[in-house]
Every structure is written in structure tokens, then in C-alpha cells.
Amino acid sequence: MEFAQKLSTTPKSDAERAAVLANPGFGDHFTDHTAVVDWNWSEDGGRWSNARIEPYGPIALDPAASVLHYGQEIFEGLKAYSHADGTVWTFRAEANAERFNKSAARLALPELPTEVFIDSLRQLVQTDRSWVPSGDGEALYLRPFMIATEAFLGVRPAREVSYRVIASPAGNYFGGELKPVSIWLSTRYARAGRGGTGEAKCGGNYAASLAAQMEAESNGCKQVLFLDPFNDNAVEELGGMNVFFVFDDGRIVTPELNGNILRGVTRSSVIQLAKDRGLTVEERKITLDEWRRTAENGHLREVFACGTAAVITPIGELKTTEESITTPALPADSVTMSIREQLLGIQTGTAEDQHGWLTRLA
């Protein structure tokens, strides 16, 4: 599929772009262009067409567009990294494309060919190459998304859909020096339920987490943790990240995928890198009681969260209305920081990519 190009006539100036890149934040600024592909339903299953690069700007939607009324929407998140030789690479884009299509199937949206997904990233990054930051820990965050644009007020899958990619220069997700964060335990809200959309990366899941996130912030926490109260208070995931536990016998435990939990690309990468080191990784149910008990008896040594935006972040404390479960200070040779450094090294080109996870974009 060829991407036509309609370039912006009012791109940011070199000075404006430099000011943004000096302090990119996260999700605060956007590049000059966007990638777009349209889909229309037909008797034979529909077709993708009109692939293009166009200026970044508002999307014109009919007030009756399906996405506004029925929430037919999905998205992904991945990063483009500047390497020392000036090339730009992304990490495990094929895995993101696969998850994107799983989300599409769950939300009754059309699947997008993997080659179109990756080429849309490549076309946008090549067009806005000057927006890729090169500072320590910085990257160009890529946000592919799909929305139902057909104007109708009937409950059925939309017959007109728009796939788009926007890009945003990104610094450290939590800002400043990496330190263990405090997590709030949500006992009032649930992120997902059995048979729901928990495994899909759709906006509704994140909207459902915002009230709990506000509660977390009001209690001095960076993120919120959700449990399954109908399954022995099993740990599920954070509002936007998966969670791992490291025990004193070298075992690493992470909640099993059960349909409620997002299939994190960083999660699966951590599992692979841990296994490469000969560590035992268990994907199983881990309950709040086990977390509390092993923290008290000293068997639990490290807890960390992981995701595309934050990569790997150590968790120092789980707070509830009644207690605080703390994790010991990270040792110099912690599994958390060692895997984080290796993962970042692969992404930025300073460590060997043994699994062929990198794809060159520019």
C-alpha cells in the first residue's frame, strides 16, 4: 500500500521544535504529521484504502459517529529510538501489530495487515525524523489507533473506520530520577471483568480506571493496582502496567493471562530476558495475601511494574486505607534494574538484540 504525502505548510520551526525536545515531558507535544488509512465495509469483507501522510490536526467527525456513542475504538503504544549512528528503530512492532488485531477482533473492528501497521510507523517517522529525541531515556512515542467513524445510531459494528498514527516526543514517564514508586490498592473499583474487554487495549478500559487513579493520586500514589475480588483477591495489573514479583530464591512471578489482563509487550520481553538468564518465571495467580505474607517474612525481595511508556519501574510500597506493604530497598545487583538496563540497551542499540526484536524505521 502506497502512502500519499500531503505535507504541512505550517510545520513547527527549528526553534519551536528544539524547545519541545529540550523538555519533552510525556504526551504533551506532537509532531507535524499523522499517518491515516481508511476502511469501508463491503459484501466481501471490506477494504483498506487511501493511505496517506497528512498534517497533524483536528479530526472532523459527524456528531453521530459510532466512536462517540458506542466506544468502538482501540489503540497501541510503542516507541521509536534514536541509535548512536543516527538511525531510528522501534521495538517488537510485530507484537504490537498482533495485539492491535486481537483488540480489533474483540471490539468488532476490521483487522489491519501487519505490513500496513509497520509501514504506517515507518512513513510517519521518516516524515518527522527531526522530532525523534536523542537524550538519555528519551524516545518518540508512537500512538496507532482505530476509531469507528460511520454516522449512525444503531448498535452494530461500524462500516466506516479510520486508522491513524500520531507521534509525541517523550521523556521519562514518571519524570526525574528513577525511584521506587508508591502504588494505591483499589478496593472500590474494578478495571475489567470476566468475559469483558480487559485483554483488549481500548479506551474504555482506561476510562474505567480513572476514578481509581484519582483516588490513588489523592493518597500520594503514582499508580493504582487492581485485584480480582472473586478470585481470592488475585493481583491483576496496574492501571497501565503489568506487575512482577522477585523472590529470594530467584523466582520471578507475574499474574497469569486470564482474559482480564493486557498482554503487555514489555511483559513478554521481561519474561524472555529473565529466562535467558536461567531464572525461573512463573505465570500464575498471586494473591494480595501472598504479597503481604512474603513481604513480612522477607521472601519477597523486589516488586516492579512494566509497560511501554515507563519501561520498568520499581515499586516500593503498596498502600491501602488500612496498611502499607513495603518492599526492601533494591540491592545493587537487583533483577529489576538489571533487566531494565538490558531492555533499554536493546531498544537504544547499546546491547545485543538476540531475538531480532528491532525494526528499522529511518
Side-chain angles (χ1 to χ4, degrees):
M1 183 176 289
E2 294 292 328
F3 279 73
Q5 288 212 344
K6 179 185 177 183
L7 300 184
S8 174
T9 58
T10 57
K12 293 288 193 300
S13 68
D14 290 347
E16 289 173 315
R17 187 172 60 252
V20 169
L21 294 180
N23 184 25
F26 190 90
D28 297 323
H29 306 278
F30 300 92
T31 68
D32 295 309
H33 297 90
T34 179
V36 188
V37 191
D38 299 326
W39 181 86
N40 291 275
W41 178 89
S42 63
E43 292 287 351
D44 61 358
R47 62 188 292 268
W48 291 99
S49 64
N50 196 22
R52 60 199 184 274
I53 297 294
E54 65 183 29
Y56 180 94
I59 301 173
L61 284 176
D62 191 288
S66 177
V67 66
L68 302 177
H69 299 271
Y70 307 112
Q72 248 192 309
E73 175 272 349
I74 59 171
F75 67 96
E76 271 299 324
L78 61 166
K79 290 179 178 179
Y81 302 87
S82 180
H83 286 195
D85 62 0
T87 58
V88 180
W89 300 72
T90 193
F91 179 76
R92 302 197 67 183
E94 293 83 0
N96 286 98
E98 179 182 1
R99 187 174 65 181
F100 193 67
N101 281 334
K102 287 182 180 295
S103 297
R106 182 63 184 86
L107 273 293
L109 288 163
E111 295 187 17
L112 181 75
T114 296
E115 60 270 20
V116 177
F117 181 94
I118 294 176
D119 199 30
S120 68
L121 308 179
R122 182 176 286 114
Q123 294 292 332
L124 180 58
V125 169
Q126 290 180 358
T127 302
D128 286 342
R129 169 68 184 83
S130 58
W131 280 94
V132 182
S134 57
D136 184 37
E138 297 177 346
L140 185 68
Y141 183 78
L142 303 172
R143 170 54 61 86
F145 63 100
M146 189 189 298
I147 58 175
T149 55
E150 183 186 2
F152 79 105
L153 296 179
V155 183
R156 61 160 173 78
R159 294 176 178 176
E160 295 176 8
V161 167
S162 179
Y163 165 75
R164 295 171 177 264
V165 188
I166 57 177
S168 174
N172 189 301
Y173 185 71
F174 287 120
E177 181 184 352
L178 182 68
K179 296 179 180 178
V181 296
S182 293
I183 302 299
W184 178 254
L185 176 64
S186 176
T187 56
R188 181 179 178 186
Y189 301 103
R191 176 188 172 275
R194 298 294 175 89
T197 58
E199 196 173 63
K201 198 168 179 67
C202 61
N205 291 341
Y206 293 81
S209 74
L210 295 180
Q213 179 66 31
M214 292 172 62
E215 186 179 78
E217 291 174 358
S218 69
N219 284 277
C221 295
K222 294 285 190 179
Q223 265 283 352
V224 60
L225 177 82
F226 294 98
L227 304 175
D228 183 350
F230 303 104
N231 188 23
D232 301 323
N233 278 331
V235 174
E236 292 203 324
E237 65 173 278
L238 276 63
M241 292 181 282
N242 297 113
V243 61
F244 282 80
F245 302 85
V246 182
F247 292 92
D248 57 355
D249 59 3
R251 287 178 301 123
I252 299 178
V253 177
T254 191
E256 61 189 341
L257 300 175
N258 59 7
N260 293 357
I261 297 172
L262 189 68
R263 293 177 176 270
V265 175
T266 306
R267 174 188 182 277
S268 65
S269 303
V270 168
I271 290 172
Q272 184 60 60
L273 294 178
K275 289 180 176 178
D276 290 346
R277 297 165 178 234
L279 298 173
T280 299
V281 180
E282 298 175 3
E283 297 180 69
R284 62 168 174 84
K285 181 172 79 173
I286 181 167
T287 66
L288 177 62
D289 283 343
E290 182 179 355
W291 187 342
R292 179 186 297 111
R293 184 180 66 256
T294 55
E296 289 175 351
N297 63 27
H299 291 312
L300 180 62
R301 294 297 177 84
E302 304 171 37
V303 185
F304 65 87
C306 70
T308 297
V311 190
I312 290 177
T313 300
I315 296 174
E317 177 188 26
L318 178 68
K319 293 176 65 176
T320 76
T321 55
E322 300 175 349
E323 65 179 328
S324 170
I325 303 174
T326 59
T327 307
L330 289 178
D333 59 346
S334 71
V335 172
T336 299
M337 298 308 293
S338 178
I339 292 182
R340 184 180 192 275
E341 290 170 8
Q342 183 182 6
L343 188 59
L344 283 172
I346 294 170
Q347 293 169 339
T348 58
T350 61
E352 183 180 359
D353 176 20
Q354 296 181 335
H355 299 283
W357 284 339
L358 297 179
T359 298
R360 183 174 175 178
L361 299 180

